[in-house]
Amino acid sequence: MIYKVYYQENALEVPVRENTKSLYVEADSEREVRSLLIDRKYNIELIQLLEGNHLEYEQASPNFKVEEL
């Protein structure tokens, strides 16, 4: 399954919408995504499962690249 992760790079700062970034991760569960990203010290805002039409829409984006973790 592919998950889209919305995050702030610095977990010590107050989240600001304009600084939110995203990445795509392939994993079996949301818990696995969190464990794969734990060493990056991100402030994770949301982990969203992508499937069906939503996944196809994201894959059409030039920014779509699944992270190798």
Side-chain angles (χ1 to χ4, degrees), residues 28-51:
D28 292 327
S29 66
E30 184 177 326
R31 180 176 287 190
E32 184 180 352
V33 172
R34 288 186 183 278
S35 68
L36 291 170
L37 295 174
I38 198 158
D39 62 325
R40 295 193 183 186
K41 307 292 186 211
Y42 289 156
N43 180 8
I44 296 174
E45 294 180 20
L46 175 69
I47 299 175
Q48 181 179 25
L49 175 63
L50 300 179
E51 55 189 355

Side-chain angles (χ1 to χ4, degrees), residues 2-67:
I2 306 275
Y3 290 88
K4 185 173 186 179
V5 181
Y6 295 92
Y7 67 95
Q8 303 280 324
E9 286 188 331
N10 190 344
L12 301 176
E13 292 181 2
V14 175
V16 177
R17 173 66 58 204
E18 291 78 16
N19 295 337
T20 299
K21 298 183 179 184
S22 63
L23 59 88
Y24 302 94
V25 178
E26 186 170 2
D28 292 327
S29 66
E30 184 177 326
R31 180 176 287 190
E32 184 180 352
V33 172
R34 288 186 183 278
S35 68
L36 291 170
L37 295 174
I38 198 158
D39 62 325
R40 295 193 183 186
K41 307 292 186 211
Y42 289 156
N43 180 8
I44 296 174
E45 294 180 20
L46 175 69
I47 299 175
Q48 181 179 25
L49 175 63
L50 300 179
E51 55 189 355
N53 290 339
H54 194 175
L55 177 58
E56 290 175 23
Y57 176 80
E58 293 288 342
Q59 287 173 329
S61 169
N63 297 327
F64 182 82
K65 179 181 178 248
V66 177
E67 292 281 322

